[in-house]
Amino acid sequence: MSGITELSLLIKSMSPKLQAEEYVFCSVPKQAFSQYALLEPICTFQEKEGITLIVTVQQAMQANLSFDGKFKQITLQVHSSLDAVGLTAAVSTKLASVGISANVVAAYFHDHVYVPSDKADEAMEALLELSEAGK
């Protein structure tokens, strides 16, 4: 299944869902990754400066990892194609219009938007409004 590419269908079908956990972004040295893999991060990304981990606040605290800011994950439940054009831009633009930062992670089936925890409810309202406007 390759996912949806049509932007208007993606927007009206995105069905954003706020996840219960609170997440943080941490960076660890590449050579130390094996010791942090046991945390089973929800996401990892290798950069030249180190490896970014997205883990729960509790996991980060237990592992003594430093972090800046706490985030809630909003999953766009539509199966977006990796070839789709414009969904990330539409979501980011909508959230920016209400002063909310968006850290978007595109995975195989869904896009996941990390927003500051204290703005999660407001972000959900904005994304639901965007989705309704597309219908």
Side-chain angles (χ1 to χ4, degrees), residues 57-71:
V57 171
Q58 181 180 7
Q59 288 171 312
M61 292 175 71
Q62 288 174 345
N64 281 336
L65 291 169
S66 60
F67 55 88
D68 295 320
K70 297 176 184 176
F71 300 86

Side-chain angles (χ1 to χ4, degrees), residues 7-96:
L7 182 58
S8 62
L9 182 57
L10 284 167
I11 289 172
K12 65 183 169 186
S13 304
M14 63 184 185
S15 301
K17 181 178 180 183
L18 182 63
Q19 304 300 322
E21 294 285 350
E22 195 170 38
Y23 292 94
V24 295
F25 289 68
C26 305
S27 181
V28 299
K30 187 176 179 180
Q31 61 273 21
F33 176 69
S34 61
Q35 78 184 70
Y36 296 107
L38 297 174
L39 294 175
E40 297 183 358
I42 193 166
C43 184
T44 62
F45 195 90
Q46 184 174 322
E47 299 178 283
K48 67 179 181 179
E49 299 87 354
I51 296 181
T52 298
L53 310 174
I54 302 177
V55 295
T56 65
V57 171
Q58 181 180 7
Q59 288 171 312
M61 292 175 71
Q62 288 174 345
N64 281 336
L65 291 169
S66 60
F67 55 88
D68 295 320
K70 297 176 184 176
F71 300 86
K72 295 289 270 189
Q73 176 187 324
I74 298 173
T75 299
L76 306 182
Q77 297 184 99
V78 63
H79 181 186
S80 57
S81 169
L82 292 170
D83 293 327
V85 175
L87 181 60
T88 300
V91 167
S92 298
T93 299
K94 180 62 178 179
L95 292 175

